[in-house]
């Protein structure tokens, strides 16, 4: 199958190579020529512009966008005049699902088709494959199936759930048509919200383990600090890398995220290469907004998102307000940071 890939960043380039390796013909475009040149190989042709990309594709064209959510509309503004009725646009990034609904309606008026494909797999997808959550018209999704089969991990990635009897389900291959426009990105949005919660739980748990030797440390005795009541209960110098490693085997909390954590701790036991400033690309916020609209409680996902805000220093002023109040009502002096 022929496909044009727009965006060759951390995931786009690997997706092009995975598709080409399976015999698909790929035309690749990115804003910088050196980025395009870096992906060229058998089965991959470069394009110098969006106009050049469109001209190299046979109709009905299939164009897959792997660009930031904020760049999708501007990219579509350039593309739409270049396309022909029947062409298909896929957004494989992390767009807001409500934007998908709007875009699909607008493109339908031009007789263009739109599919939203939530894509999970990160930078390891070239070999592991990508979990694909798809929204759009059923016949269009069926037409695109050869691409999804190639990109998805396949049946060998995991055994079916015991007792499951759906041998023809694409979910067992690693891709799923979730519903009409926006459904793919809605499912991916919640997927990423869950990801925030899981990552936050690992991080908090490992931090407790890291500080399990607090009883060995000297502590100031003053009115501003709650004393450690039983120092003898916190005498453990724990090896976090080894703990992560043993958890990977037979534990109910084993996961790929834990695998990645164990790898990071092996390479950098104190994680000195990281400052701890954690970004969020939007999906966690959108998940919580959807939960509010639905009236569904999500305290764990909310806490994980707010912790990311705090990691960037966005809670510092509230801490100053607290210190100011304590100083005001009780004359409590703020202790200097160590």
């Amino acid at each position: 199958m022929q496909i044009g890939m727009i965006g060759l960043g951390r995931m786009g380039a690997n997706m092009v190579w995975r598709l080409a390796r399976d015999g698909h013909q790929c035309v690749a475009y990115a804003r910088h020529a050196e980025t395009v040149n870096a992906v060229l190989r058998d089965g991959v042709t470069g394009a110098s512009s969006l106009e050049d990309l469109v001209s190299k594709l046979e109709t009905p064209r299939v164009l897959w966008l792997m660009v930031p959510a904020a760049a999708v509309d501007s990219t579509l503004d350039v593309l739409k005049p270049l396309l022909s009725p029947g062409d298909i646009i896929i957004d494989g990034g992390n767009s807001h699902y409500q934007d998908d609904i709007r875009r699909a309606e607008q493109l339908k008026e031009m007789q263009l088709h739109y599919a939203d494909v939530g894509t999970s797999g990160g930078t390891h997808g070239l070999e592991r494959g990508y979990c694909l959550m798809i929204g759009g018209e059923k016949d269009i999704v069926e037409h695109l199936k050869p691409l999804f089969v190639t990109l998805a991990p396949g049946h060998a990635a995991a055994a079916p759930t015991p007792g499951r009897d759906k041998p023809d389900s694409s979910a067992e291959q690693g891709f799923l048509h979730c519903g009409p426009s926006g459904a793919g990105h809605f499912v991916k949005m919640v997927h990423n919200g869950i990801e925030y919660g899981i990552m936050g739980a690992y991080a908090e748990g490992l931090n407790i383990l890291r500080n399990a030797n607090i009883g060995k440390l000297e502590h100031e005795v003053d009115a501003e600090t709650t004393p450690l009541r039983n120092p003898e209960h916190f005498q453990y110098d724990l090896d976090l890398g080894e703990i992560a490693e043993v958890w990977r085997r037979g534990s109910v909390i084993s996961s790929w995220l834990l695998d990645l954590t164990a790898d990071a701790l092996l390479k950098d036991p104190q994680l000195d290469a990281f400052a701890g400033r954690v970004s969020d690309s939007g999906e966690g916020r959108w998940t919580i907004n959807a939960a509010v609209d639905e009236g569904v409680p999500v305290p764990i996902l909310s806490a994980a998102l707010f912790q990311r805000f705090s990691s960037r220093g966005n809670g510092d002023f509230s801490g100053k307000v607290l210190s100011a109040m304590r100083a005001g009502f009780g004359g409590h002096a703020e202790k200097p940071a160590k």
Side-chain angles (χ1 to χ4, degrees):
M1 193 169 187
Q2 190 187 43
I3 181 173
M5 181 68 74
I6 301 169
L8 305 172
R10 289 172 293 181
M11 293 176 67
N14 282 344
M15 292 171 70
V16 165
W17 290 333
R18 188 173 174 93
L19 288 164
R21 189 173 64 189
D22 201 36
H24 299 281
Q25 295 298 310
C26 302
V27 183
Y29 169 74
R31 289 179 299 169
H32 303 292
E34 58 270 24
T35 304
V36 176
N37 292 334
V39 304
L40 300 183
R41 58 182 63 183
D42 288 346
V44 183
T45 303
S48 58
S49 65
L50 290 176
E51 292 83 357
D52 186 35
L53 176 90
V54 170
S55 71
K56 291 179 176 178
L57 296 172
E58 300 173 1
T59 56
R61 304 176 181 91
V62 176
L63 300 102
W64 189 306
L65 277 62
M66 286 300 292
V67 300
V72 173
D73 282 327
S74 59
T75 303
L76 288 177
D77 287 342
V78 178
L79 276 177
K80 286 186 289 189
L82 307 174
L83 301 180
S84 305
D87 289 350
I88 303 168
I89 297 172
I90 303 167
D91 180 4
N94 281 324
S95 288
H96 194 293
Y97 75 97
Q98 294 176 13
D99 290 331
D100 294 319
I101 297 171
R102 169 180 55 83
R103 291 170 187 148
E105 286 299 319
Q106 293 173 343
L107 292 170
K108 184 178 180 180
E109 295 175 0
M110 302 176 63
Q111 300 180 59
L112 299 173
H113 303 284
Y114 180 87
D116 51 284
V117 180
T119 307
S120 182
T123 57
H124 298 261
L126 176 59
E127 297 306 326
R128 287 173 57 96
Y130 302 88
C131 176
L132 304 173
M133 296 143 273
I134 308 160
E137 305 160 78
K138 185 175 181 180
D139 57 338
I140 296 301
V141 173
E142 185 64 26
H143 174 73
L144 297 170
K145 186 175 179 179
L147 299 176
F148 301 144
V149 169
T150 292
L151 290 171
H155 287 286
T161 300
R164 177 182 168 89
D165 186 21
K166 295 185 177 182
D168 297 327
S169 171
S170 66
E172 295 182 13
Q173 298 179 60
F175 68 95
L176 179 67
H177 182 205
C178 301
S181 295
H185 277 149
F186 188 90
V187 174
K188 178 57 161 48
M189 173 187 76
V190 177
H191 164 285
N192 283 19
I194 293 170
E195 180 183 295
Y196 283 26
I198 295 172
M199 293 172 71
Y202 280 132
E204 291 182 9
L206 289 168
N207 199 26
I208 294 171
L209 295 173
R210 185 175 184 270
N211 287 279
N213 65 350
I214 192 172
K216 295 183 176 184
L217 307 178
E218 291 190 12
H219 300 274
E220 297 181 33
V221 179
D222 57 53
E224 304 302 323
T225 307
T226 302
L228 183 64
R229 293 181 59 185
N230 300 107
E232 66 275 15
H233 294 170
F234 298 93
Q235 299 287 319
Y236 306 117
D237 294 307
L238 301 174
D239 188 324
L240 301 189
E242 289 296 281
I243 291 170
E245 194 66 26
V246 74
W247 281 352
R248 295 180 61 226
R249 293 165 173 80
S251 165
V252 298
I253 62 167
S254 59
S255 72
W256 186 41
L257 288 172
L258 181 61
D259 295 345
L260 297 174
T261 303
D263 181 66
L265 289 169
L266 176 65
K267 295 173 180 175
D268 183 3
Q270 300 303 318
L271 301 183
D272 292 327
F274 302 92
R277 180 183 174 89
V278 187
S279 299
D280 72 287
S281 54
E283 301 83 31
R285 305 184 191 205
W286 304 338
T287 300
I288 293 167
N289 290 341
V292 171
D293 288 343
E294 295 175 2
V296 174
V298 286
I300 294 170
L301 306 190
S302 299
L305 175 66
F306 293 148
Q307 174 55 36
R308 292 192 178 201
F309 295 166
S310 181
S311 78
R312 304 199 291 267
N314 294 343
D316 291 353
F317 185 74
S318 64
K320 293 181 179 182
V321 173
L322 291 171
S323 288
M325 287 188 286
R326 293 186 79 247
F329 69 70
H332 299 284
E334 186 177 65
K335 297 191 69 173
K338 294 182 179 180

